[in-house]
Structures are given as structure tokens and as C-alpha cells.
């Protein structure tokens, strides 16, 4: 069969299956992301029906999917809102790093993989998946919630931190000199700072230049600009996702609204392709040997991410329900974790399967955690409060009875005393 024909058939089958899975998930009120991942496992290496002709196209589509997810997140917020958020959220970013990087580093050291592998695995457990979380927020219609800016603030801080972390990790893995690593780091920071400065100072000019009454022209210009900036950012050792997010931040007003409505269907398509691509490159046979360590790491870092989101939302003055929602939303790991693991495989090959199993677990757990953390916490809290109230009531009952008995005893004693007094009087009368 001709390569183009095979690619079209495979792509058509993948997209059709994704559509059916999406409809099924919608009917049961569940996020389609885990189903997309399972579809990728079925179509990938060691799966039921491995695909090969469309692999390169799917890989490119996955990159575009992450870029579009972060672009549309950026379109929801202005540059001033971003800066304000970063100024208020940086302590939360520090807590996020300490709580979530430490388990990965500790696991690598316990397994005897060495300090460089510890730095790599710390990054795998630290960074939440912006792509998955962006999709979940859209599916659950929480983009307008009060806790969402807190979640986005942490995600942006993590993405910006990657501009520092990735060059350092790359230098450690390659054994590059301190000077060479410093130059790479300065380039990354300069790129992020330059794009953010343009977004802040000249966002209105960019919006005017991009603006068009023609939907086709607006779509082409915004998409082209986003891909261009994302590509340049990645070339300069900065995440393409960060570049796309900053483009979204730079656009405002009617341009942002129009671009958002035009790009949403494309985002949904390519985001689904991204999750399938992740599953395609996961060999199901490599998961069982590392499943127990991955489950242990996933359990610990699920709790630490929930604690991070809860603390950050509490610090921002969000209600208790919003705190739990923020914590549950941050659980998923994804694209950055896989990128980090891919870089570290050359130093410690066992990181690859462990990171894959770990990310797969949390990508599946992430959407349900975002949905159910708050209701489960509320139910447990209510149940605990009910038990405490019942215990308090039970504790009061004996005391009340005792008090009654004491009162009765006092009355009886008083009565006996009164009787005694009467008898004494009688005795006196008898003496007379």
C-alpha cells in the first residue's frame, strides 16, 4: 500500500476512534484523556494494532497540540494579570518545588541511581502537565473559577522554571563546563524576559497588527505567529509551551476573543493527538517491572500536589472548596516529565520506564482527581465533623447524668438532715 494511502487510513482510524471515545466520555460525564491514552497504548508499540505510517505526522500534531493548549490558556489572561499573579504566587512556586521535587530525588537515591539521575527524577515528579490541566479545566468549565488563576500561576512558574532547570540538567547530563552551562542558562532567561517584556509593553500594538475582520486571516496570522515564537523559544533552550503561552498573553481584547473561538476546535483536535502520541510511545511490556515504585511515587506526589494547591489557594484567600479543587487539578504530570526522562535515559536507562509508568498513572488519575478531590474531601470532612459532634454529645451525656445524680444526692442528704432536725426536735420535746 502506498505510504500516503496508509497514513490517511491510519489517521482517519485514529481520529474516528478518538471521536467515539470522546462521545462515550461525554455521556458518562468523564474526561476523555485517559481513554485517549489507552487508545495510544492500543495503537502503539506492543499494542493490539501498531501503527507506523502516520507516526511522524502524529508526533508533529502532538507538538502542535501542546502549543495550542498553552496559547488558549494565555488568551484567557492579560499581561498585567500574569505579572500580578507571578508576584503573588512565587512563594507557592517555592513550596511546589520543595514538596514535589524531593520525592523524585529521594527515590532515585534510594534506588542507587546517583545524583544526576536524582536531579532528573526530581524534575519528573515536580512539573505538572500544563497540557493535561488546560484540557481538564476546559472540560470541567472551570476557566472562570476563582481558584483557576492560582492553578495557572503555579503552572506558569513551573514552565518558567523549566527555562532554568532544563539547561542545568542538560549541562549535568553532558558533563558541560560551568561556563558553557551558564551561557545556555543566560540565553534561556534572556529569551523569556524579552518575550515577556514585549508582551507587557507592546501587547496592544501586537493585537492591532494581528487584528482582522476576516476570520481566515486572523486564524492564519495568530497560528503562524504562535508557531514561529514557539519554535524560536525551543531553539533557544526555552519550552515551546512557554513561548505559546506568552503569545496568548500578548494578545488582548477582541483579537483574543476571536482567536480563542477560531482556535478552540483545532486545540481540541491536536490535544487529543498529543495524548494519543504519548500512549503510542509507551510499551505496555515495560510497565509491569517498574509498576510498584511508580505507584509509590505517584501516591506520594499526588498528596504533595494536592497539598501544594490547597496551600496556594488558601494563601490567595480562596474558599475551602476552591482549595481542594486547586489541589486536585494540579495532580496530572505529562509532557515535561517525558521530555526530562528522555534526556536522562542516556545516563540512567531505567529512568525511562519508571517515568513512563509514573506519568501514565498520574495522567489517568489527574482528571478524576481534578473532578473528585473536592467532593471527597467535603464528604470526609462532613463525616468527621458528624463523628466529632456525636462523640462530644456522648461525652456530655455521662457528665449530665453525674450532675443529676449529684443533685439528687444533695437533695436526699438535705432531706435526711431535715428529718434529723425534726427528730431532734421531737427528742427535745420528749425530754421536756
Amino acid at each position: 500500500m502506498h505510504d500516503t494511502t496508509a497514513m490517511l487510513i491510519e489517521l482517519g482510524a485514529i481520529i474516528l476512534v478518538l471521536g467515539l471515545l470522546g462521545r462515550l466520555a461525554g455521556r458518562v460525564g468523564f474526561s476523555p484523556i485517559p481513554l485517549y491514552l489507552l487508545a495510544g497504548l492500543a495503537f502503539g508499540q506492543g499494542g493490539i494494532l501498531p501503527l507506523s505510517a502516520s507516526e511522524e505526522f502524529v508526533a508533529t500534531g502532538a507538538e502542535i497540540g501542546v502549543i495550542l493548549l498553552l496559547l488558549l490558556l494565555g488568551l484567557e489572561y492579560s499581561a498585567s494579570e500574569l505579572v500580578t499573579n507571578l508576584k503573588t504566587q512565587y512563594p507557592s512556586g517555592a513550596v511546589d518545588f520543595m514538596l514535589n521535587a524531593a520525592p523524585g530525588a529521594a527515590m532515585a537515591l534510594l534506588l542507587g541511581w546517583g545524583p544526576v539521575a536524582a536531579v532528573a527524577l526530581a524534575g519528573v515528579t515536580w512539573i505538572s502537565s500544563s497540557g493535561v490541566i488546560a484540557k481538564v479545566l476546559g472540560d470541567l468549565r472551570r476557566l472562570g473559577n476563582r481558584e483557576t488563576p492560582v492553578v495557572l500561576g503555579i503552572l506558569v512558574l513551573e514552565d518558567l522554571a523549566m527555562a532554568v532547570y532544563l539547561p542545568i540538567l542538560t549541562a549535568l547530563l553532558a558533563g558541560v563546563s560551568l561556563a558553557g552551562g551558564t551561557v545556555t542558562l543566560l540565553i534561556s532567561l534572556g529569551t523569556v524576559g524579552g518575550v515577556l517584556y514585549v508582551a507587557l509593553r507592546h501587547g496592544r500594538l501586537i493585537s492591532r497588527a494581528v487584528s482582522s475582520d476576516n476570520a481566515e486571516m486572523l486564524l492564519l496570522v495568530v497560528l503562524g505567529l504562535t508557531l514561529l515564537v514557539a519554535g524560536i523559544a525551543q531553539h533557544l533552550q526555552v519550552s515551546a509551551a512557554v513561548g505559546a503561552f506568552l503569545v496568548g498573553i500578548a494578545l488582548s481584547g477582541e483579537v483574543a476573543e476571536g482567536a480563542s473561538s477560531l482556535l478552540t476546535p483545532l486545540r481540541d483536535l491536536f490535544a487529543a493527538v498529543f495524548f494519543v502520541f504519548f500512549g503510542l510511545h509507551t510499551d505496555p511490556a515495560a510497565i509491569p517491572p517498574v509498576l510498584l515504585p511508580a505507584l509509590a511515587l505517584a501516591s506520594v506526589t499526588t498528596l504533595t500536589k494536592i497539598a501544594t494547591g490547597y496551600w496556594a489557594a488558601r494563601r490567595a484567600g480562596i474558599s475551602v472548596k476552591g482549595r481542594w479543587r486547586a489541589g486536585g487539578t494540579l495532580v496530572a504530570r505529562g509532557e515535561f516529565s517525558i521530555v526530562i526522562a528522555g534526556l536522562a535515559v542516556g545516563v540512567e536507562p531505567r529512568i525511562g520506564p519508571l517515568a513512563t509508568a509514573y506519568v501514565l498513572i498520574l495522567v489517568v488519575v489527574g482528571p478524576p482527581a481534578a473532578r473528585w478531590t473536592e467532593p471527597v474531601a467535603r464528604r470526609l470532612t462532613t463525616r468527621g465533623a458528624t463523628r466529632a459532634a456525636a462523640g462530644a454529645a456522648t461525652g456530655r451525656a455521662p457528665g449530665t447524668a453525674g450532675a443529676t445524680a449529684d443533685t439528687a444526692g444533695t437533695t436526699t442528704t438535705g432531706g435526711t438532715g431535715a428529718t434529723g432536725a425534726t427528730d431532734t426536735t421531737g427528742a427535745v420535746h420528749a425530754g421536756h
Side-chain angles (χ1 to χ4, degrees), residues 241-424:
V242 172
F245 184 83
L246 293 175
V247 170
I249 290 292
L251 301 178
S252 59
E254 294 181 0
V255 174
E257 294 177 6
S260 180
S261 62
L262 290 171
L263 289 167
T264 296
L266 282 177
R267 177 202 63 185
D268 294 340
L269 170 62
F270 285 106
V273 171
F274 162 72
F275 298 117
V276 169
F277 175 76
F278 182 79
L280 285 174
H281 286 264
T282 302
D283 184 1
I287 295 177
V290 294
L291 193 56
L292 288 179
L295 280 170
L297 204 53
S299 300
V300 171
T301 54
T302 293
L303 297 177
T304 55
K305 274 292 181 183
I306 291 174
T308 298
Y310 187 97
W311 187 87
R314 178 183 178 183
R315 186 173 172 275
I318 307 299
S319 67
V320 174
K321 291 182 179 180
R323 297 172 198 173
W324 288 116
R325 286 195 296 266
T329 303
L330 288 169
V331 166
R333 311 303 201 276
E335 58 276 8
F336 276 130
S337 300
I338 295 302
V339 169
I340 293 166
L343 291 172
V345 163
V347 173
E348 178 49 69
R350 290 171 290 183
I351 285 183
L354 176 61
T356 299
Y358 169 79
V359 171
L360 187 61
I361 291 168
L362 289 185
V363 167
V364 172
V365 170
R371 189 181 192 93
W372 297 109
T373 296
E374 183 268 321
V376 170
R378 185 176 70 243
R379 184 171 298 179
L380 292 175
T381 303
T382 304
R383 187 178 298 175
T386 303
R387 288 179 179 176
T394 304
R396 283 195 302 269
T400 304
T404 304
D406 291 343
T407 304
T410 303
T411 305
T412 304
T413 304
T416 306
T419 306
T422 305
D423 291 343
T424 304

Side-chain angles (χ1 to χ4, degrees), residues 24-359:
L24 174 63
R27 287 188 176 182
V28 298
F30 191 72
S31 172
I33 293 173
L35 300 181
Y36 294 161
L37 284 166
L38 293 175
L41 286 172
F43 290 136
Q45 304 169 9
I48 301 171
L49 185 63
L51 304 178
S52 58
S54 58
E55 185 175 354
E56 187 175 347
F57 181 90
V58 171
T60 304
E63 291 283 345
I64 295 173
V66 175
I67 288 169
L68 289 177
L69 281 166
L70 271 295
L71 169 65
L72 268 80
L73 265 184
L75 290 172
E76 295 289 332
Y77 297 92
S78 67
S80 59
E81 288 173 336
L82 173 65
V83 171
T84 301
N85 207 13
L86 292 179
K87 286 180 179 178
T88 57
Q89 289 297 325
Y90 72 88
S92 302
V95 170
D96 178 34
F97 171 73
M98 290 187 290
L99 288 181
N100 297 288
M107 176 66 76
L109 294 175
L110 286 173
L111 295 172
W113 291 355
V116 176
V119 173
L121 199 57
V124 171
T125 58
W126 170 24
I127 305 298
S128 296
S129 172
S130 300
V132 175
I133 292 171
K135 175 68 173 170
V136 168
L137 288 172
D139 289 345
L140 297 178
R141 298 179 181 177
R142 291 184 183 173
L143 289 175
N145 283 21
R146 284 196 62 203
E147 74 275 4
T148 297
V150 175
V151 173
L152 295 181
I154 292 175
L155 292 179
V156 171
L157 284 169
E158 289 180 348
D159 288 348
L160 293 176
M162 286 293 97
V164 178
Y165 172 82
L166 287 177
I168 292 174
L169 178 63
T170 303
L172 289 174
L173 294 172
V176 176
S177 65
L178 180 62
T182 302
V183 170
T184 303
L185 178 60
L186 290 175
I187 292 173
S188 301
L189 293 176
T191 302
V192 172
V195 175
L196 188 56
Y197 174 82
V198 171
L200 281 169
R201 296 294 183 181
H202 306 292
R204 291 183 179 179
L205 295 177
I206 295 173
S207 295
R208 288 178 187 173
V210 169
S211 179
S212 175
D213 294 332
N214 188 308
E216 180 183 351
M217 295 301 105
L218 180 61
L219 173 63
L220 292 174
V221 172
V222 172
L223 184 58
L225 177 64
T226 302
L227 295 176
L228 178 63
V229 172
I232 293 172
Q234 188 151 310
H235 180 71
L236 295 173
Q237 305 296 319
V238 181
S239 164
V242 172
F245 184 83
L246 293 175
V247 170
I249 290 292
L251 301 178
S252 59
E254 294 181 0
V255 174
E257 294 177 6
S260 180
S261 62
L262 290 171
L263 289 167
T264 296
L266 282 177
R267 177 202 63 185
D268 294 340
L269 170 62
F270 285 106
V273 171
F274 162 72
F275 298 117
V276 169
F277 175 76
F278 182 79
L280 285 174
H281 286 264
T282 302
D283 184 1
I287 295 177
V290 294
L291 193 56
L292 288 179
L295 280 170
L297 204 53
S299 300
V300 171
T301 54
T302 293
L303 297 177
T304 55
K305 274 292 181 183
I306 291 174
T308 298
Y310 187 97
W311 187 87
R314 178 183 178 183
R315 186 173 172 275
I318 307 299
S319 67
V320 174
K321 291 182 179 180
R323 297 172 198 173
W324 288 116
R325 286 195 296 266
T329 303
L330 288 169
V331 166
R333 311 303 201 276
E335 58 276 8
F336 276 130
S337 300
I338 295 302
V339 169
I340 293 166
L343 291 172
V345 163
V347 173
E348 178 49 69
R350 290 171 290 183
I351 285 183
L354 176 61
T356 299
Y358 169 79
V359 171

